[in-house]
Amino acid sequence: MCPLVEGADSLPQKEDRMLKIKASIIGRKGRKYWYVRYQVIFNTDKVKLVEVSTKVGRKEKSLDYMQEVYLPAWIERKKEELLTARSHSTKFEYYAKMFLEDYRVNRDYYNMEKRVTRILEQFGGEDIASIKKLQLKRWINNLVHRQTGKALSKATRKKYKSAIKAVFDYALDDEVIDRNFIGDIKVTGADRNKDDVKPFSLKEVRRLLEASKDKQYGELMHSYLGLVFN
């Protein structure tokens, strides 16, 4: 990997004042493109670290060319992009809220909202482009039930993974990230034990059927429950 090349100072931003950009060209084993790894350093000591593909093949251009010709031009484009900063946040919570707004029409919205709320507790305040795959992998595969402390089933953890992937898709569409890697995360855990789900006992069924005769529940409740339990 080559040493970081510094870009010039920039203008103040809304939240932080960007001091400089440092970037380098790197090659990833088994990947055909060159990548740019860059840092945006702010006056608040905040550092944003991102890695993006150049879409330039390693067989097409040499490392010297990428470092001496491509990278300086790339830094200038990136500075211009940051100078015309987005009018909205790029934090995980911004895209999560957008996702939930669109998901509201679905029947399982309540369950999805609960999952996303829990995800926000951990990642809501982070810039979505700075969140690493390893962070998410470890978090998902260590999820436990809030009340019992028992490990969540593999199926439930997959639902959390799907929610995170959906949020990342919004950031991908907004061109804040150039790849949604959530699908690559392998979810571990035991499958749900079907024996853990217990049906109503005969006594409980009789109590429910008897109570459903009360007119306060409507004239059809008793008949409805009779069909359901059979």
Side-chain angles (χ1 to χ4, degrees):
M1 184 174 71
C2 297
L4 294 171
V5 177
E6 294 190 12
D9 292 359
S10 187
L11 297 178
Q13 301 296 312
K14 278 187 176 181
E15 298 179 356
D16 300 296
R17 184 165 62 86
M18 184 179 69
L19 295 179
K20 61 184 66 177
I21 300 174
K22 292 183 178 181
S24 65
I25 299 293
I26 61 173
R28 289 293 187 194
K29 185 178 180 180
R31 297 188 183 181
K32 63 180 182 178
Y33 296 124
W34 292 111
Y35 284 77
V36 175
R37 173 180 285 178
Y38 70 96
Q39 296 176 350
V40 182
I41 303 171
F42 298 88
N43 63 315
T44 56
D45 293 329
K46 173 182 173 184
V47 178
K48 177 180 177 182
L49 179 62
V50 186
E51 186 177 307
V52 295
S53 171
T54 65
K55 304 300 183 184
V56 177
R58 295 170 67 180
K59 293 183 179 180
E60 298 174 30
K61 298 293 182 181
S62 68
L63 178 58
D64 287 342
Y65 172 89
M66 295 299 294
Q67 188 72 18
E68 296 171 11
V69 179
Y70 180 93
L71 189 59
W74 182 93
I75 289 176
E76 290 304 313
R77 291 196 303 271
K78 179 55 66 174
K79 283 195 303 177
E80 185 65 28
E81 177 185 320
L82 293 173
L83 283 169
T84 55
R86 299 174 186 275
S87 60
H88 62 72
S89 170
T90 55
K91 292 182 178 179
F92 183 92
E93 62 186 357
Y94 175 84
Y95 297 102
K97 290 175 182 177
M98 188 182 296
F99 162 64
L100 284 178
E101 286 174 8
D102 292 344
Y103 199 84
R104 194 175 294 276
V105 298
N106 291 276
R107 294 178 62 183
D108 65 333
Y109 172 80
Y110 176 70
N111 291 326
M112 179 61 75
E113 183 184 36
K114 288 201 301 183
R115 287 192 286 272
V116 172
T117 298
R118 187 170 182 181
I119 296 166
L120 285 172
E121 292 173 5
Q122 184 70 26
F123 300 104
E126 295 192 39
D127 191 297
I128 198 164
S130 69
I131 301 175
K132 304 299 183 186
K133 182 164 67 174
L134 182 60
Q135 281 180 273
L136 293 166
K137 178 180 178 179
R138 289 177 62 84
W139 186 80
I140 291 170
N141 289 322
N142 284 285
L143 280 170
V144 298
H145 193 280
R146 285 188 185 275
Q147 279 72 46
T148 66
K150 292 182 178 180
L152 294 182
S153 68
K154 187 175 182 179
T156 301
R157 288 176 177 175
K158 283 184 176 180
K159 291 178 181 179
Y160 278 91
K161 172 185 168 180
S162 295
I164 295 172
K165 183 177 184 299
V167 174
F168 267 69
D169 276 339
Y170 278 74
L172 183 65
D173 291 342
D174 199 26
E175 299 182 357
V176 171
I177 56 176
D178 68 339
R179 177 173 174 266
N180 188 344
F181 55 74
I182 307 302
D184 298 339
I185 294 176
K186 184 176 180 180
V187 179
T188 61
D191 292 325
R192 183 179 179 181
N193 188 349
K194 294 181 180 179
D195 292 336
D196 291 340
V197 182
K198 303 295 183 182
F200 287 108
S201 67
L202 183 59
K203 183 178 179 180
E204 289 171 329
V205 170
R206 286 172 177 167
R207 288 181 62 187
L208 287 168
L209 287 173
E210 188 62 31
S212 67
K213 292 178 181 178
D214 193 319
K215 296 299 182 182
Q216 68 172 312
Y217 301 116
E219 296 182 357
L220 300 178
M221 180 57 75
H222 180 68
S223 299
Y224 172 75
L225 287 180
L227 288 170
V228 170
F229 285 129
N230 280 283

